[in-house]
């Protein structure tokens, strides 16, 4: 019985180690989603994709601005749903950089801040 038990635990330990290694290597590829009144936003670190959706038919559009955290360097383009219900923006950002995004609801010259969130590329 001892031999059988030893044979079964070795593959389990090897499998657990392999899963842990995959988890460590995929750590930078995170996804996140954020919801605000009238807006739904998702971030995919793998490819640095920001998707902004206007979820309210109120004549306003959603506008997001991103900036590298701790700097005065803004990401371009600013991702806006102006004239659309959804917009996807593709950023080329070095892995591991932290980005803060501000989310606004806009109508004409009126901008209403909905919130902000921080993600890691």
């Amino acid at each position: 019985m001892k031999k059988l038990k030893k044979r079964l635990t070795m593959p389990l330990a090897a499998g657990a180690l392999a899963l842990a290694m995959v988890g460590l290597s995929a750590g930078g590829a995170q996804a996140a989603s954020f919801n605000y009144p009238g807006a739904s936003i998702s971030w995919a670190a793998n490819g640095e994709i920001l998707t902004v959706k206007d979820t309210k038919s109120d004549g306003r559009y959603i506008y997001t601005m991103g900036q590298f955290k701790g700097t005065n360097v803004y990401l371009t383009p600013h991702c806006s749903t102006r004239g659309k219900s959804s917009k996807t923006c593709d950023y080329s950002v070095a892995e591991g950089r932290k980005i803060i995004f501000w989310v606004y609801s806009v109508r004409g010259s009126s901008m209403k801040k909905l919130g902000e969130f921080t993600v890691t590329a």
Side-chain angles (χ1 to χ4, degrees), residues 1-10:
M1 184 67 162
K2 254 187 179 179
K3 260 188 176 178
L4 178 61
K5 192 175 189 179
K6 188 175 181 179
R7 243 187 259 154
L8 288 175
T9 57
M10 290 304 282

Side-chain angles (χ1 to χ4, degrees), residues 34-106:
F34 309 90
N35 292 302
Y36 302 98
S40 174
I41 299 169
S42 65
W43 169 260
N46 188 5
E48 297 86 38
I49 305 293
L50 183 74
T51 302
V52 179
K53 293 182 181 177
D54 184 347
T55 60
K56 227 180 201 180
S57 295
D58 59 359
R60 301 181 76 84
Y61 65 92
I62 306 303
Y63 179 83
T64 60
M65 286 191 319
Q67 180 182 57
F68 290 115
K69 192 160 183 168
T71 72
N72 289 324
V73 179
Y74 287 90
L75 291 176
T76 55
H78 301 301
C79 207
S80 166
T81 63
R82 187 175 197 160
K84 303 172 185 159
S85 61
S86 159
K87 173 74 176 185
T88 298
C89 295
D90 188 351
Y91 298 102
S92 182
V93 178
E95 196 170 316
R97 295 286 309 259
K98 289 199 181 293
I99 305 163
I100 185 166
F101 282 99
W102 293 277
V103 182
Y104 297 92
S105 175
V106 180

